[in-house]
Amino acid sequence: MASRVLIQLDPDPQPSTFDAIVAIDSGVDTLLRHGSVTPEASVPLVHGAMFTRGGGELASTAIFVGGSDVAAAEAVFRKVRETFFGPVRVGVMLDPSGANTTAAAAVVTAARHAVLAESHAVVLGATGPVGRRVAGLLAGRAGSLTVCSRSLERAEALAGEIAARRSAAVQAVSLGGSLAESLAEAAVVISAGAAGVTLLDAAGVKGCRKARVLIDLNAVPPVGIEGILPSDKARVLEGIREDLPPVAYGPLGVGGTKMKIHRAAIDELFVSTEAALDAEEILAIAWRLEGDSTDRG
Amino acid sequence: MASRVLIQLDPDPQPSTFDAIVAIDSGVDTLLRHGSVTPEASVPLVHGAMFTRGGGELASTAIFVGGSDVAAAEAVFRKVRETFFGPVRVGVMLDPSGANTTAAAAVVTAARHAVLAESHAVVLGATGPVGRRVAGLLAGRAGSLTVCSRSLERAEALAGEIAARRSAAVQAVSLGGSLAESLAEAAVVISAGAAGVTLLDAAGVKGCRKARVLIDLNAVPPVGIEGILPSDKARVLEGIREDLPPVAYGPLGVGGTKMKIHRAAIDELFVSTEAALDAEEILAIAWRLEGDSTDRG
Amino acid sequence: MASRVLIQLDPDPQPSTFDAIVAIDSGVDTLLRHGSVTPEASVPLVHGAMFTRGGGELASTAIFVGGSDVAAAEAVFRKVRETFFGPVRVGVMLDPSGANTTAAAAVVTAARHAVLAESHAVVLGATGPVGRRVAGLLAGRAGSLTVCSRSLERAEALAGEIAARRSAAVQAVSLGGSLAESLAEAAVVISAGAAGVTLLDAAGVKGCRKARVLIDLNAVPPVGIEGILPSDKARVLEGIREDLPPVAYGPLGVGGTKMKIHRAAIDELFVSTEAALDAEEILAIAWRLEGDSTDRG
């Protein structure tokens, strides 16, 4: 059995130490780290993975595409997959800014408190890198879905894109606008907005009269949903409804689940050379970690 | 016993993952990888190898100079060796683009099918990085040698250089020219031309009436010798002579031997701080792997 | 127990192989190496250390700031420490150009031959990166201290800075000037000047009539004190005083002690997340290695 080699492709000048340490803690033996990686520069690096180990040992090499620039990482991920041919390929995972693992963690966390298929879900900050993935994962899994952005135009573009890809109706609203009506019906509210922007104030939270779970994924204070603390982890939110109060999660409260998913996904890369882990595939791993044999959505 | 540390010096901006994975699979414990390495930049990196471990532990550090730019790597290799002094040195190996290990693999593969000292050998694409090394290794080992290039001038310059260095007569021809006459006498034909250029067409192959083995090292289709497949490995070539048909090797057919040589060479770096592995030293390792106690050439 | 991860932050374009190999030999399992590191660029790299491992496992990650540019490394070291907050921090060590470990090695070596508190000490080349640290460590530990630079102005600025920080009187002299008088009284003379500059000629050495130990830290010939050889290690210097001749150390003679200190300091990083090792903390480790339970100074 060959040792586990993970090639870390990062568009940032300095490859992420976060991604590296999680990889080591997931059982990777050797990390080959690369910064300033462009799609073109990734080709010979992928060839090195394809042409060094034969037969069963090929599965002991894998590729992780990460860093802080989501669009740049997505372009590298596409190029990596185009470079493979036939069975000459290795496992590859996309998780820039932890967007995929964070989105998967948010969805399975929500599913602990609400039956998704029977729930209306609202995603705030839905057009950012994490929000897009949360919305994409919820579309078709939640009973109904509203995506909200500060720009109605961007929200509508996203709703159209997701609706086409997932064959599911998606409503688009802007902050203000008809958001309050959506929130009044929502069992699941997930905020994934930009750092330092409060998307839902205390009055808005009070209006979430049917909420079962509110999740704020913004790791940099102030949080996006007023009243949620970064460390909240299933904390009961008083003052919304007394019979069945919702619970709140902050970024650190979701963090443990996210890290477990991240590590399990790295591990999965070495199971099969066919593994190509983007949002959907990483959510499947997350469901498995929740002890579900089937997708709850 | 100190752990095995290999310093990878690569002139390319992104250091090769190919070289890295082969090193790991050769038993290296820690890789210190450097890209964009110039001769000047290599000096402090070499000092770090020289001045950190004393006595017997010095042999647990070694240097690999690789990458895709052969001329740049050769300049770094020279600088590394100049930086050592007295016994304060570590093992160092040169193998940009796999040129040395590929050339050695081609020569020992040819020797499985022809007694080199009794053979006329022709090297096509002889003035490229791999071809130069194949020709240099065959000079004085093969009974006689013809080097061929698209440019007669370059072929003659190479022949003169090798003849002086190896004290062996080397004939230079250009494509077309008197190549056909050389091929008609050749027991060994090795093609190492640039990617995508066919150096010998089907009619030319038919003219190799005394050939015992034809080897094509070009890894990017089309191969340089028409009719040879990348995966050919001692495949009998019909239609040339029926009594004693020659065999053909493509780049993948030689690849297994090349990889064994590469790994054994890395291993050799940690045996003695005196190891300085260029083409000749790597061929010596290749002969040993063939089970020969003496150089067959 | 998580594996030991050391993040190597180096302002040089190519991160030091010296620092890397010493780290490996100190028991680090995985090195995450970064070159061209600025204070700003270090922030996300430090976040990766802070946010990947929780609880007791946080202590298995640490940071080393090194390279050849002492001022640049000091700026990175400051930024790293500012980036930590509360208990979310990891061990960090500063040792660019080996300045801290070399200075600590010089001080404990001197203390083997002279009772520091009863000794007058002279530091030559005191305003360079190593010299500043030697002087800072001796201030308050030696009975009295003279710092010497080619520029009296720089020597006086340094003396004022150290005197304020360490609450100890420090005398400043320039080469020539009243240096001879200081040397005539000195039990300890340490030279840490720039490469290739002789700071004390043979006549000057003869004037060190009360010297017990002379140490030259300049690794590049010519040494800074005429007559001392790089490999000198407690070599008796004849011709100064016959009753009680002083001993001499060259850079290689101090090197073994320096390497032990360097390795022990790396090891210390993984004991507590509170470790922040600059000159004083590294000297404390050096005293411990000398078998002293208390600071001899």
Side-chain angles (χ1 to χ4, degrees), chain A residues 85-113:
Chain A
F85 55 80
V88 189
R89 61 182 61 237
V90 301
V92 58
M93 169 177 175
L94 176 70
D95 200 31
S97 284
N100 277 331
T101 48
T102 302
V107 170
V108 300
T109 296
R112 290 177 199 157
H113 301 280

Side-chain angles (χ1 to χ4, degrees), chain A residues 6-190:
Chain A
L6 186 70
I7 300 172
Q8 180 184 2
L9 302 183
D10 195 318
D12 296 340
Q14 301 284 1
S16 163
T17 54
F18 185 101
D19 293 342
I21 294 172
V22 178
I24 291 298
D25 288 345
S26 305
V28 167
D29 295 303
T30 301
L31 268 174
L32 303 179
R33 308 172 70 219
H34 294 266
S36 298
V37 174
T38 59
E40 293 67 40
S42 71
V43 173
L45 302 176
V46 175
H47 283 160
M50 294 163 67
F51 300 130
T52 37
R53 290 169 159 183
E57 299 202 333
L58 193 55
S60 294
T61 304
I63 297 172
F64 178 91
V65 183
S68 70
D69 184 333
V70 176
E74 288 172 336
V76 169
F77 183 67
R78 276 193 301 275
K79 190 68 175 181
V80 168
R81 299 188 64 188
E82 288 167 18
T83 303
F84 297 149
F85 55 80
V88 189
R89 61 182 61 237
V90 301
V92 58
M93 169 177 175
L94 176 70
D95 200 31
S97 284
N100 277 331
T101 48
T102 302
V107 170
V108 300
T109 296
R112 290 177 199 157
H113 301 280
V115 179
L116 291 185
E118 299 172 6
S119 300
H120 180 62
V122 174
V123 180
L124 302 166
T127 54
V130 178
R132 297 178 82 83
R133 286 169 162 77
V134 173
L137 294 175
L138 285 175
R141 287 190 174 86
S144 55
L145 175 65
T146 298
V147 296
C148 174
S149 169
R150 280 172 286 180
S151 148
L152 181 59
E153 198 180 348
R154 287 210 308 272
E156 286 176 337
L158 175 68
E161 181 204 305
I162 294 176
R165 180 159 52 87
R166 302 272 304 163
S167 306
V170 181
Q171 184 195 11
V173 302
S174 64
L175 273 185
S178 53
L179 173 61
E181 295 160 35
S182 286
L183 288 172
E185 295 302 317
V188 173
V189 179
I190 300 178

Side-chain angles (χ1 to χ4, degrees), chain B residues 3 7 30 32-37 44-45 48 51-53 61, chain C residues 14-22 24-25 29 31 33 259 263:
Chain B
S3 67
I7 300 172
T30 300
L32 303 179
R33 306 172 72 220
H34 294 265
S36 299
V37 174
L45 303 175
F51 299 130
T52 37
R53 290 169 159 183
T61 304
Chain C
Q14 301 284 0
S16 164
T17 54
F18 185 102
D19 293 342
I21 295 172
V22 178
I24 291 299
D25 288 345
D29 295 304
L31 267 175
R33 306 172 72 220
M259 289 296 268
R263 291 177 190 176

Side-chain angles (χ1 to χ4, degrees), chain A residues 14-22 24-25 29 31 33 259 263, chain C residues 3 7 30 32-37 44-45 48 51-53 61:
Chain A
Q14 301 284 1
S16 163
T17 54
F18 185 101
D19 293 342
I21 294 172
V22 178
I24 291 298
D25 288 345
D29 295 303
L31 268 174
R33 308 172 70 219
M259 288 296 268
R263 290 176 191 177
Chain C
S3 68
I7 300 172
T30 300
L32 303 178
R33 306 172 72 220
H34 293 266
S36 299
V37 174
L45 302 175
F51 298 130
T52 37
R53 290 170 159 182
T61 304

Side-chain angles (χ1 to χ4, degrees), chain B residues 124 189-191 198-200 205 214-216 223-228:
Chain B
L124 302 166
V189 178
I190 300 177
S191 175
T198 299
L199 297 174
L200 198 59
V205 172
L214 292 90
I215 300 175
D216 193 323
V223 290
I225 300 178
E226 198 175 342
I228 294 190

Side-chain angles (χ1 to χ4, degrees), chain B residues 101-111 130 134 138 188 190 215 217 254 257 261:
Chain B
T101 48
T102 301
V107 170
V108 300
T109 297
V130 177
V134 172
L138 286 175
V188 173
I190 300 177
I215 300 175
L217 299 173
V254 177
T257 299
I261 296 169

